[in-house]
Amino acid sequence: MNVNIKKISLATAIAATLSACAVGPDYKRPPVETPDHFKEGVEWQRAEPKTDMALQDDWWREYQDDVLNGLVDQALKANQSIAEAEAAYRVAEAAVRSNTSAYFPTVSASFSGARTGTGAAVPLQAGGSTTGTKTIRNSVSLGATASWEPDLWGSVRRSVEAARANAQATDAQLAGVRLSITSNLVIYYFALRQADADIASLQGQRDIYASILKMTEAGLREGAASNDDLLAAHDALDSAEAVLRAMQTVREQDEHAIAVLIGKPPTAFSLEPKPDYTFAVPTIPSTLPSQLLLRRYDIVSAERTAASANARIGVAKSAYFPDLSLSASDGFAGSSMANLLTLPHRIWSVGPALAETLFDGGARSASVDSARANYDAEVAAYRNTVLSAFQSVEDSLSSMHHLGEQSAAQTRILRRSEQLYASSNAQWEAGAASQQDLLSAKLNLLQAQQQYMDVQAALSQSSVTLIKNLGGGAQWSQEGAPVAAADAK
């Protein structure tokens, strides 16, 4: 027994030494071409103040709206897409623990007891003698078994590496779902507030067209207007009514979308209209393209997926090498529980086993080729994700830039419309202008106000999209683990 123990100890020492190596390529982050700066908005963005500040995890609070903050808090707790992503992350974490368990031996215990019998006495003739035997035996056994497969070629290590990278990718996907839900919620909320302002403006425009129709009908009776004028007035009123109804539909659908995002049925949710809502655009810190590699959840997820695929190459390569398993068992067996745990009833075994596949028809080679091809595909997906991220940020910067200029132009138009309406009102009160002139000036003012509010809403929504495309408020380490924004500066 001592000789066997020495042999198994020697095998264990050799296995521990060999397990320090792992076959397959060590992972290196795939290189990507990263520009020095963004093309769109580079000039105007440099003029923004506080360019060294970082986006916060609760970036939506920068819009200074308590109702919005409450809705986002509800969504983060009750949204079912987030719950689904969290469950997927727990599955990935469990996979890491499952793969890690292969580092350790498996120990099992058993106990069994049986009573068996064979044969029976059989009579030869009536009243005669009998022949045959009858045997009854009892058997009891108690034992423990331990087995361990040393990670000689790093198969377990690569499997754990792949599972851990996959868990990090799933973690990034969870963060991405949270960012997607919150940003979509904020965008829907701003769209709903835009609809509130548009509905109020369109109701005012409809009332003006209704007044113009009445004036046209009166003019037709007095001979001051033609039937064509009446038809045109009817068309203008019906068009205003149709646009108003369409906007009310948009508002209701936005409200339904918000209800689903916060985990409620649409029938159980409503928001009070705020036609005088003030849209805000927070200061968004400037960033560099290289920072996206650590900010965008889709980039982090794609890169971690590539790391997992790289580790799978090592797992596939380890199949070329023999497997060593070490096992030992110890126990007791006897005919009864009495004196079972004594040395004469002891049974044990210990020893290694080595297995190697000599021929598999190319299965292992195909497995390695498949793992390499899968890695190449994931690297391509990672690089494409980076390029798409650059594009989305460029698009958002361009949108923010031109919407800012559009907002300035609409502001000037609104101010002139206010002046024209004030002038028309003064002329009407002085008797120098007709009521129809005043209504036309008011109509122009309402339309200018609506266009101005639409641009402000679009600017706020575009800022949300930019924040989303920048990756939100969190950042990630080189290993794919999230870090606090304040620590990432």
Side-chain angles (χ1 to χ4, degrees), residues 248-397:
Q248 288 172 336
T249 300
V250 170
R251 206 267 183 194
E252 291 170 0
Q253 292 177 348
D254 289 337
E255 192 173 61
H256 299 163
I258 292 173
V260 173
L261 288 173
I262 64 174
K264 291 184 177 181
T267 55
F269 175 76
S270 62
L271 279 174
E272 181 182 355
K274 288 186 178 181
D276 57 346
Y277 186 79
T278 302
F279 293 95
V281 178
T283 299
I284 300 175
S286 60
T287 187
L288 297 174
S290 59
Q291 293 176 312
L292 288 188
L293 304 184
L294 297 179
R295 295 183 62 85
R296 290 270 300 221
Y297 301 111
D298 53 349
I299 292 179
V300 173
S301 177
E303 186 272 330
R304 289 288 85 198
T305 302
S308 178
N310 181 82
R312 294 295 178 191
I313 298 175
V315 175
K317 279 191 169 185
S318 66
Y320 280 111
F321 301 93
D323 294 328
L324 173 66
S325 61
L326 309 177
S327 61
S329 64
D330 196 1
F332 299 87
S335 59
S336 67
M337 289 295 297
N339 301 318
L340 177 65
L341 302 179
T342 59
L343 200 57
H345 296 93
R346 185 182 181 188
I347 55 174
W348 58 269
S349 67
V350 61
L354 194 65
E356 165 68 350
T357 300
L358 299 179
F359 178 75
D360 61 5
R364 289 173 294 180
S365 176
S367 178
V368 173
D369 291 342
S370 175
R372 288 189 181 278
N374 185 60
Y375 171 73
D376 292 340
E378 297 300 343
V379 169
Y382 165 65
R383 288 171 175 161
N384 189 60
T385 302
V386 173
L387 290 175
S388 298
F390 290 159
Q391 176 190 354
S392 63
V393 174
E394 294 281 14
D395 290 346
S396 292
L397 291 174

Side-chain angles (χ1 to χ4, degrees), residues 23-24 62 82 108 123 126 169 210 370 415 468:
V23 297
E62 296 296 322
I82 295 178
S108 60
S370 175
R415 297 294 174 260
K468 178 183 177 182

Side-chain angles (χ1 to χ4, degrees), residues 412-428 433 437-438 440-442 444-445 448:
R412 294 192 295 268
I413 293 173
L414 178 60
R415 297 294 174 260
R416 287 193 292 267
S417 297
E418 291 172 343
Q419 294 173 3
L420 288 171
Y421 176 71
S423 176
S424 296
N425 188 58
Q427 293 179 33
W428 180 72
D437 292 335
L438 179 63
S440 296
K442 186 175 182 180
N444 291 334
L445 176 59

Side-chain angles (χ1 to χ4, degrees), residues 1-42:
M1 178 178 177
N2 291 333
V3 175
N4 289 332
I5 293 178
K6 289 180 179 179
K7 288 181 178 179
I8 196 69
S9 299
L10 178 60
T12 302
I14 295 174
T17 302
L18 291 175
S19 63
C21 302
V23 297
D26 291 331
Y27 176 73
K28 294 181 180 178
R29 186 188 299 269
V32 292
E33 182 179 353
T34 306
D36 295 332
H37 60 270
F38 290 107
K39 174 184 177 182
E40 303 295 342
V42 65

